[in-house]
Amino acid sequence: MTLNVTIDNRDFSSPPLRPASFMVDRLTWSAFGGPDQGVLLATAPVDKLFEFTSLLRCPVMVNDQEAQPVWWGYVSKITILFTKVQFTISLEDLYNRVNVKYAFVSPDNRAADESETGFAEHTRSTAEYGSREIVLHRKNIDDDFALNLRDTFLEISALPRLVLSPLQDDRVAQIKLDCQGWFHTLDWVFYENLEGFYANHGPGPGSLAFGDGSTSYVAQSFLPGAAVDVKYAYLLLRKVGSPTSNLSVQIRDDSGGNPNAVLATSQTVAGSTFPQYNYTWQRFEFASAYSLSAGTRYWLVIDPNTSSGANYYQLRTDENCSYYQDNQYGKRYSGGAWGYIPSITDPGSRPDLMFRVVCVTDTGDQITAIAAAGDQFFTKITEISSGVSASPYRVHGYSCFEEITNLMALGTSNQRLILADVNPQRHLAFYEQPDPAIPTVYMDSGGRYFTRYMKVLKPYHPPVGQFAILSGVDRLAMPFDRLRAPSCFVDHVDYRPPL
Amino acid sequence: MYQIALGDELAGYTVIDGASIAPPFVNSTVYFTFSGDPFVQEHIDIQLKGTSAQIAAALATLELVIQRSLLYDHAAYGSPQYLRCKTEATADDYYTPITEVFLAANPAGYLTQPVGSKVVTLHYTRPNYFDGPKTNLPLTGRGGTDVTTGYPLVNHTDSGAGDGSTALIKKADVLTGLPAPLRIEYTFNVGGAAACKDIFVGVYHHPTYDGDAPFFFYYDDLAGGADTADGSAIEGNYKTISWTSTAWEVFTYGLVDLGDIDVLNGASYRPILHLFSTHAYDDLYFRVQVQRFSQVLFVSEPVYSPPGYGYLLLPPIQLPPNYLLREEALAKVHIYIYALRQSGALTSIDIDCLTLFPLHYAATFNGFINMSYLETLVDDSHRNRFCVWNATTEGETVCQARVGGPLLLFPGSNSRLFFYCTNASNLMPITYLATLKATYRPRGRLL
């Protein structure tokens, strides 16, 4: 058995002949991304050793004797050993896009607002290796400090960092390449999506009575920047007296800066359940998520479904007008017309409501969007419809890789995991974990995997992402045995070829 | 030894010793190893005499045996490579498959080849047995007596004329020293749109018993529920069992009486529950318990009962459980089936037969392509291969994944072959028909 290693140039063109041929020391595969880790070894004349430093981030392909791809990815770390020296160069500490998020120091030396510098980029490095982002978090620094920190860090980190270590014993000149699968490149870029969650938590003062015979409806406008589906709305509410009505919220379109036609109405919430003296977030759910268009102003309108001077409701407003979208504001319907919410602390301003609008999308769509945002090397991304909805809003400070793996673990509406694979052509595909009741791989008494078509699987073509059972015994009976002896999910395979 | 040869039935054999030997093969000596191990390592000295080209060709023939053995290991060749031995002119051929084969030669062998001779040594590993010639087996049961041309199987067993899903192989027809590999040819015999998906095969053996009664429990053998006469049910009746509970409840039970427990002989059986009508519950579980009246002797793990299935495979049970001294008659036992509906809602299940399906030697063929009219499943435990013969093209193909060990006939015993098949809708239609042919190869340790 011989596995052949090919290493292309960073731009995926074929190189001239490499001055050494590599042996496979270890290969791993994961059901969550396909080819995962690889270790390749080679020996070379000492005078050729340092030519191999140029292999960092170069594409690697391992083929079997029949020229079938076995493993593929890129070189993430190069270790060169010769005489008593170890020389290491790695992508691990390479960052060519740097952002600093920091808490500002006010003149009285108290932490004030939070800010960020925005990303600075080392274009030569990104052109060579691809974007590798980092966000540095600091407290109690000022703008200049943050900017200088960003630029210095970028200059130091934008090119591969070299580590030289002495060795105790003489070593044969040897090159070791640590490789990673392409799925890992999603970890190079941070992901943020400010759409899908529109909210104002104040903290300005203000409250407004409604359903009290004076104000019939209260509304807040918001402007989605992307097409999203609204599923929930929240408002800070309390009751006054003993109202018994069932409240609902509406999504309305806009006409001349006022709420207009009702587009969707939520399920009702019993107002009698609201607390009397303190405000709590009350959730209103739309039975079917309503689709909002990008760039269109919508109004969230609360309908008290009552009008009583003794038994009514009160909601929290924000007279500081903190809602981040400019020219979006609250309004109330009173006296047969829409008008701005009155402000006691800042008369003439346009107070907002304290509100949340939560939109949801299929997590499969989110995975595709996040993968597209982090895509630098994939030739195609195949999406999956998971049947599971969640908010697409993301400001966790996680990388695309972390966001995607979190969503993959969330699974599908069939309660199966979402798996991912990258094929030799760097086509990234997401797919649902197969049905555990129908194993597709069998292990015989000799420990060999074979398919149901009786094709023996070579150890370097492992059945990652499939369910397997033993074939040599008749004691197992799928799918009846899903409690007694569930089939085995092959989620990770580690292969070390005999040397 | 009258003759020794290497090869297989597909590509033919090369005689390396004895009758019909052809140059450059002169003779061979097999250094047999005797042990109780399941596999033994041996070697054969093969003498070659002839021109250098003849010797080279002979070596290539031996290398081809090695290559075919490797290919068979990777499922790329249809037969193992065999060492075939014949002790005398009128004796049968005996075969043993060889693996891990390699050739060695005297270090100076390259010097002798040009002058016309060479001795090479073939090293190999083989199972510790030899298989004899393929022998037809007469089949007996509700479908006829001593049938060799295609025994008719029905997909259930009851008192109806010819209604038998089993076939008996009489011990007088099996002459073997070790458990002998069986070959079955199971031809699906229902026309039209009918399709055969999964096939279950089990082999029961007993030194004297040749009946089929202890294995089937009908409506009147099972406790509880309400019985309804219906001509489309096994034994003409089905039983409706209903309950409402969030806990495990006794579903039904049957008695294995004194005579029957002796016949069951401490072997393992898989209880198969035939559902007269399917259910739609997605939270229904069953388990099986072996009890001696109220004394619980064994409790199985639960299994899930998928909605829409016309049968249920329960975990294997040993009957009687545990090994006993056998100095007294065995105590009767009850086979209890328990059920759990997680939701606790009202549940109603119709059953018409509980089968104790033997597992001593058994295999399940899980279909991924359905077999249609006159297609034949061939399972050859001698060659460790199986396939389906396509009825229209007469070509071989694969339609199932096989789970289970080889099917064997125990020496000195009557053997009863059990069959059930399912259709593409996961039902076990009781009117499905099949035709069965069986052969075996006697197996022995010594030639």
Side-chain angles (χ1 to χ4, degrees):
Chain A
M1 183 280 304
T2 305
L3 297 177
N4 303 304
V5 178
T6 310
I7 304 178
D8 283 342
N9 294 323
R10 284 192 194 113
D11 62 1
F12 300 98
S13 61
S14 296
L17 199 61
R18 301 281 183 205
S21 57
F22 285 88
M23 287 187 314
V24 172
D25 182 51
R26 179 185 179 218
L27 299 174
T28 73
W29 297 262
S30 167
F32 310 98
D36 190 32
Q37 307 285 338
V39 178
L40 310 174
L41 301 174
T43 54
V46 172
D47 62 330
K48 301 280 188 189
L49 280 177
F50 287 86
E51 292 182 23
F52 290 92
T53 57
S54 64
L55 296 183
L56 199 62
R57 225 285 286 137
C58 285
V60 174
M61 178 72 76
V62 179
N63 289 291
D64 66 11
Q65 288 164 298
E66 296 163 345
Q68 292 300 308
V70 167
W71 194 96
W72 44 94
Y74 62 93
V75 178
S76 62
K77 182 178 174 185
I78 299 165
T79 305
I80 295 173
L81 303 166
F82 68 103
T83 60
K84 290 192 173 180
V85 175
Q86 176 175 300
F87 179 100
T88 304
I89 192 168
S90 168
L91 286 176
E92 271 175 26
D93 301 321
L94 188 153
Y95 300 104
N96 47 33
R97 281 173 54 82
V98 180
N99 185 13
V100 179
K101 289 192 173 181
Y102 59 101
F104 194 73
V105 180
S106 64
D108 61 357
N109 208 31
R110 288 182 185 171
D113 206 358
E114 290 200 341
S115 188
E116 62 180 303
T117 60
F119 277 100
E121 180 173 328
H122 192 294
T123 51
R124 267 192 304 122
S125 176
T126 52
E128 196 68 27
Y129 299 103
S131 292
R132 282 183 59 87
E133 295 181 350
I134 189 168
V135 177
L136 305 175
H137 294 268
R138 295 291 185 272
K139 285 181 180 174
N140 301 332
I141 63 172
D142 61 19
D143 293 341
D144 290 339
F145 192 112
L147 285 170
N148 282 307
L149 172 65
R150 180 192 72 181
D151 296 341
T152 303
F153 188 92
L154 178 66
E155 195 57 34
I156 291 171
S157 309
L159 296 173
R161 207 173 294 187
L162 173 69
V163 178
L164 275 173
S165 321
L167 295 172
Q168 283 204 325
D169 302 319
D170 273 350
R171 301 294 291 263
V172 178
Q174 189 183 50
I175 307 128
K176 177 184 169 197
L177 303 184
D178 286 287
C179 306
Q180 290 192 307
W182 291 109
F183 194 65
H184 286 277
T185 62
L186 291 169
D187 209 22
W188 293 10
V189 176
F190 282 83
Y191 183 72
E192 196 170 82
N193 178 25
L194 298 178
E195 295 298 332
F197 183 56
Y198 309 98
N200 179 35
H201 293 171
S207 67
L208 181 67
F210 66 106
D212 59 349
S214 171
T215 298
S216 308
Y217 302 100
V218 188
Q220 169 71 40
S221 68
F222 62 99
L223 186 71
V228 287
D229 298 339
V230 60
K231 182 67 177 172
Y232 305 105
Y234 295 75
L235 289 162
L236 267 175
L237 295 166
R238 73 178 179 91
K239 66 183 178 186
V240 177
S242 303
T244 56
S245 69
N246 293 323
L247 296 85
S248 62
V249 299
Q250 303 161 345
I251 299 295
R252 296 195 189 190
D253 64 6
D254 178 84
S255 175
N258 289 323
N260 188 37
V262 176
L263 304 174
T265 302
S266 76
Q267 295 169 334
T268 58
V269 175
S272 59
T273 61
F274 294 178
Q276 185 92 44
Y277 298 109
N278 55 325
Y279 291 94
T280 54
W281 287 105
Q282 298 295 331
R283 189 177 84 162
F284 297 87
E285 180 175 355
F286 294 87
S288 300
Y290 181 75
S291 298
L292 306 177
S293 302
T296 302
R297 172 189 275 173
Y298 292 94
W299 288 89
L300 175 68
V301 180
I302 183 158
D303 178 0
N305 196 23
T306 186
S307 179
S308 162
N311 301 307
Y312 57 92
Y313 304 99
Q314 191 110 4
L315 57 62
R316 279 296 314 275
T317 59
D318 172 21
E319 294 184 7
N320 284 2
C321 310
S322 309
Y323 184 47
Y324 73 97
Q325 290 183 325
D326 187 34
N327 201 29
Q328 308 302 323
Y329 38 76
K331 283 208 163 180
R332 67 168 180 169
Y333 191 77
S334 180
W338 288 100
Y340 295 113
I341 293 170
S343 172
I344 295 169
T345 57
D346 186 9
S349 66
R350 298 176 176 181
D352 296 309
L353 302 187
M354 291 198 187
F355 75 102
R356 297 177 191 153
V357 172
V358 178
C359 301
V360 296
T361 58
D362 187 280
T363 55
D365 294 341
Q366 291 179 40
I367 287 173
T368 307
I370 299 169
D375 174 19
Q376 302 188 67
F377 305 104
F378 301 122
T379 54
K380 186 180 174 185
I381 299 172
T382 299
E383 65 182 47
I384 179 178
S385 178
S386 70
V388 172
S389 295
S391 170
Y393 182 76
R394 293 288 185 284
V395 284
H396 306 130
Y398 293 155
S399 69
C400 294
F401 179 88
E402 291 168 306
E403 293 285 7
I404 287 174
T405 49
N406 285 342
L407 288 171
M408 289 167 69
L410 201 57
T412 67
S413 52
N414 296 321
Q415 280 71 56
R416 296 187 209 151
L417 297 173
I418 294 175
L419 311 181
D421 190 30
V422 179
N423 77 5
Q425 290 74 41
R426 302 192 312 284
H427 173 174
L428 170 61
F430 295 96
Y431 61 101
E432 187 181 41
Q433 188 180 35
D435 185 350
I438 309 172
T440 49
V441 181
Y442 298 81
M443 182 180 274
D444 67 10
S445 52
R448 294 185 308 176
Y449 283 119
F450 61 91
T451 70
R452 60 188 190 176
Y453 308 106
M454 299 300 292
K455 176 178 166 52
V456 176
L457 294 174
K458 295 189 171 68
Y460 44 84
H461 286 297
V464 173
Q466 299 186 55
F467 281 96
I469 61 165
L470 272 178
S471 71
V473 293
D474 196 53
R475 303 292 167 130
L476 304 176
M478 307 305 292
F480 305 91
D481 274 349
R482 77 180 196 183
L483 279 183
R484 195 175 71 99
S487 50
C488 162
F489 180 59
V490 184
D491 67 350
H492 185 267
V493 171
D494 196 329
Y495 171 64
R496 292 169 189 269
L499 292 175
Chain B
M1 194 73 72
Y2 178 74
Q3 188 190 62
I4 301 171
L6 292 167
D8 66 83
E9 288 175 13
L10 302 176
Y13 284 87
T14 301
V15 176
I16 59 171
D17 188 77
S20 307
I21 196 165
F25 294 98
V26 178
N27 60 48
S28 299
T29 305
V30 183
Y31 294 89
F32 287 117
T33 300
F34 301 99
S35 83
D37 295 336
F39 289 88
V40 290
Q41 290 182 321
E42 296 175 344
H43 66 275
I44 306 172
D45 284 345
I46 303 170
Q47 285 196 38
L48 304 169
K49 195 170 184 180
T51 65
S52 183
Q54 280 178 316
I55 293 172
L59 292 176
T61 302
L62 295 172
E63 290 288 3
L64 195 54
V65 168
I66 296 171
Q67 291 304 315
R68 285 184 178 135
S69 171
L70 291 170
L71 287 175
Y72 174 78
D73 262 0
H74 291 90
Y77 190 71
S79 172
Q81 296 302 291
Y82 291 103
L83 171 65
R84 190 184 73 184
C85 300
K86 195 181 186 77
T87 53
E88 53 186 308
T90 56
D92 290 321
D93 288 326
Y94 273 80
Y95 309 79
T96 187
I98 55 175
T99 56
E100 297 168 25
V101 193
F102 66 94
L103 269 177
N106 183 317
Y110 72 97
L111 296 174
T112 60
Q113 183 169 337
V115 295
S117 71
K118 189 160 190 159
V119 176
V120 294
T121 305
L122 189 83
H123 297 262
Y124 58 88
T125 300
R126 68 172 179 86
N128 199 357
Y129 59 72
F130 288 88
D131 286 345
K134 190 162 83 172
T135 309
N136 276 333
L137 285 167
L139 301 172
T140 296
R142 295 169 188 246
T145 302
D146 292 334
V147 180
T148 55
T149 54
Y151 177 86
L153 289 170
V154 183
N155 206 28
H156 73 285
T157 298
D158 65 11
S159 58
D163 287 351
S165 55
T166 71
L168 176 72
I169 298 168
K170 297 173 187 166
K171 70 176 175 183
D173 294 324
V174 180
L175 300 173
T176 182
L178 296 173
L182 180 68
R183 175 188 164 109
I184 55 167
E185 296 175 14
Y186 177 95
T187 303
F188 183 58
N189 208 4
V190 185
C196 174
K197 181 169 171 270
D198 299 338
I199 299 172
F200 306 95
V201 187
V203 184
Y204 164 82
H205 59 83
H206 194 275
T208 56
Y209 185 72
D210 61 2
D212 62 8
F215 308 100
F216 302 100
F217 295 77
Y218 306 113
Y219 74 100
D220 50 352
D221 301 317
L222 296 168
D227 299 334
T228 304
D230 191 309
S232 59
I234 297 174
E235 195 61 6
N237 285 266
Y238 68 89
K239 182 183 288 293
T240 302
I241 301 169
S242 303
W243 74 98
T244 306
S245 172
T246 54
W248 284 99
E249 297 292 336
V250 174
F251 177 73
T252 187
Y253 63 90
L255 172 67
V256 183
D257 219 334
L258 291 174
D260 291 343
I261 193 69
D262 188 49
V263 165
L264 293 174
N265 211 21
S268 287
Y269 301 87
R270 182 189 295 289
I272 299 179
L273 203 55
H274 187 265
L275 275 58
F276 176 74
S277 49
T278 61
H279 70 77
Y281 312 123
D282 63 1
D283 58 349
L284 181 60
Y285 298 86
F286 286 88
R287 74 180 186 215
V288 58
Q289 292 189 186
V290 180
Q291 298 185 194
R292 183 174 176 274
F293 299 100
S294 62
Q295 299 165 349
V296 178
L297 305 177
F298 170 80
V299 180
S300 82
E301 293 292 314
V303 293
Y304 177 64
S305 176
Y309 274 66
Y311 62 102
L312 176 70
L313 302 181
L314 286 152
I317 54 173
Q318 188 188 7
L319 291 172
N322 211 344
Y323 298 102
L324 303 170
L325 293 177
R326 303 301 300 264
E327 292 171 355
E328 298 285 336
L330 295 170
K332 61 178 77 172
V333 298
H334 292 83
I335 298 168
Y336 273 76
I337 310 291
Y338 278 72
L340 169 68
R341 179 90 189 278
Q342 281 185 324
S343 68
L346 173 65
T347 309
S348 189
I349 301 291
D350 299 331
I351 61 169
D352 55 8
C353 184
L354 172 68
T355 305
L356 297 179
F357 200 83
L359 285 186
H360 191 87
Y361 303 116
T364 302
F365 298 86
N366 294 317
F368 49 86
I369 298 171
N370 300 322
M371 277 169 52
S372 53
Y373 182 49
L374 293 186
E375 289 192 323
T376 302
L377 166 69
V378 181
D379 183 62
D380 191 332
S381 292
H382 164 69
R383 281 165 62 182
N384 197 22
R385 281 280 184 274
F386 70 98
C387 70
V388 167
W389 288 342
N390 186 290
T392 49
T393 64
E394 297 181 349
E396 278 190 15
T397 185
V398 60
C399 297
Q400 298 102 349
R402 187 187 196 280
V403 176
L407 299 175
L408 303 173
L409 299 177
F410 200 78
S413 295
N414 295 311
S415 295
R416 182 170 289 276
L417 312 183
F418 284 68
F419 293 86
Y420 277 138
C421 74
T422 70
N423 67 9
S425 304
N426 295 314
L427 305 177
M428 200 175 262
I430 68 171
T431 55
Y432 271 21
L433 305 172
T435 307
L436 178 68
K437 291 180 188 171
T439 59
Y440 84 108
R441 288 173 184 265
R443 177 169 286 180
R445 190 91 70 198
L446 305 176
L447 289 173

